[in-house]
Amino acid sequence: MKSILKTYPVVSTLTFICLFLGILTSIYGNAMYDLLAFHSKPVYYWQYMSGTLMHGSKGAPLWFLWVHLFLNGLMILPFGGLLERKRGSKHVLVIFVTATVVSSIAFHLLTLGQKIQATGISAVGYAFITGGVMLLLNIWKEFSCTVKLFYLFLILLSSLMLLPMITGWISTFLHLSGIASYLLLLSSATALRKMLKASVDSS
């Protein structure tokens, strides 16, 4: 356990928080959604961000919460873990914060004038997948056939979950916001490196 926390501190912490909130939501039900879910008309300031770590839906059966959490775990753990191991914890933390902020903005723009709640870390998961796929292209030969098939299955599954007929239009746009957040980070980092290089060269 200590080695996992040391190697994957960000991904491990996110996983434990999601699990802990899942257990609390299983016990206290709708009160947890009222307190922590994304709200299109937030009552508390933390509701702009806290919905990322919640799962399930107000009024939905309990099994939906754990299926939702399990599916998101299939993105967070394999792809987030890969990024944290290869790129570092700071890199993963920046992705998490950026994807959370971008998805929150997207949610409030999409639900303007409506009264809707939402939950899930899937936008962060899609940001991890985007970065993970780019990384996989460079290290694909390192993996066994079984691991390659596992990642291909996850990529296929996550692609299907982008379809609005499966998850709904709001979820699709929120998932896309996660992809966009990673691409935004990547382009910003590239532009910054070019600026620093030009500054060094000119001096």
Side-chain angles (χ1 to χ4, degrees):
M1 179 64 72
K2 287 184 178 179
S3 62
I4 292 174
L5 290 172
K6 186 175 181 180
T7 307
Y8 309 102
V10 176
V11 170
S12 297
T13 300
L14 292 177
T15 303
F16 289 142
I17 292 174
C18 288
L19 284 170
F20 179 66
L21 291 177
I23 293 169
L24 289 181
T25 305
S26 299
I27 298 170
Y28 296 106
N30 289 342
M32 290 294 291
Y33 294 114
D34 290 337
L35 183 65
L36 296 175
F38 283 123
H39 290 250
S40 54
K41 296 179 179 179
V43 179
Y44 307 108
Y45 64 88
W46 61 76
Q47 290 172 339
Y48 286 101
M49 309 291 283
S50 58
T52 297
L53 301 170
M54 290 284 290
H55 289 83
S57 181
K58 187 175 181 178
L62 184 59
W63 63 262
F64 177 72
L65 184 160
W66 293 103
V67 170
H68 189 194
L69 180 55
F70 174 75
L71 290 174
N72 282 343
L74 290 178
M75 296 188 287
I76 297 298
L77 294 172
F79 292 98
L82 178 67
L83 283 172
E84 188 158 18
R85 181 162 56 88
K86 294 292 186 177
R87 295 284 187 256
S89 297
K90 289 182 180 179
H91 181 77
V92 170
L93 183 59
V94 170
I95 295 172
F96 167 72
V97 172
T98 304
T100 299
V101 170
V102 171
S103 64
S104 178
I105 293 171
F107 172 73
H108 286 92
L109 289 175
L110 289 167
T111 59
L112 204 61
Q114 304 177 61
K115 191 174 182 181
I116 295 175
Q117 291 186 11
T119 64
I121 201 168
S122 54
V124 176
Y126 276 95
F128 285 167
I129 288 173
T130 306
V133 168
M134 291 181 176
L135 182 59
L136 281 171
L137 295 174
N138 298 321
I139 60 173
W140 191 245
K141 293 181 180 179
E142 296 179 14
F143 297 116
S144 67
C145 183
T146 302
V147 173
K148 288 177 181 177
L149 288 173
F150 177 64
Y151 272 110
L152 287 173
F153 167 74
L154 293 179
I155 292 169
L156 175 62
L157 179 63
S158 60
S159 299
L160 291 173
M161 298 306 289
L162 283 172
L163 299 175
M165 67 274 295
I166 295 177
T167 60
W169 280 106
I170 290 178
S171 293
T172 292
F173 280 116
L174 293 179
H175 295 163
L176 291 173
S177 76
I179 297 173
S181 66
Y182 187 85
L183 297 177
L184 175 64
L185 274 177
L186 184 64
S187 60
S188 299
T190 302
L192 182 60
R193 280 196 296 268
K194 288 182 178 178
M195 288 174 60
L196 292 173
K197 187 177 185 300
S199 177
V200 171
D201 292 343
S202 62
S203 62

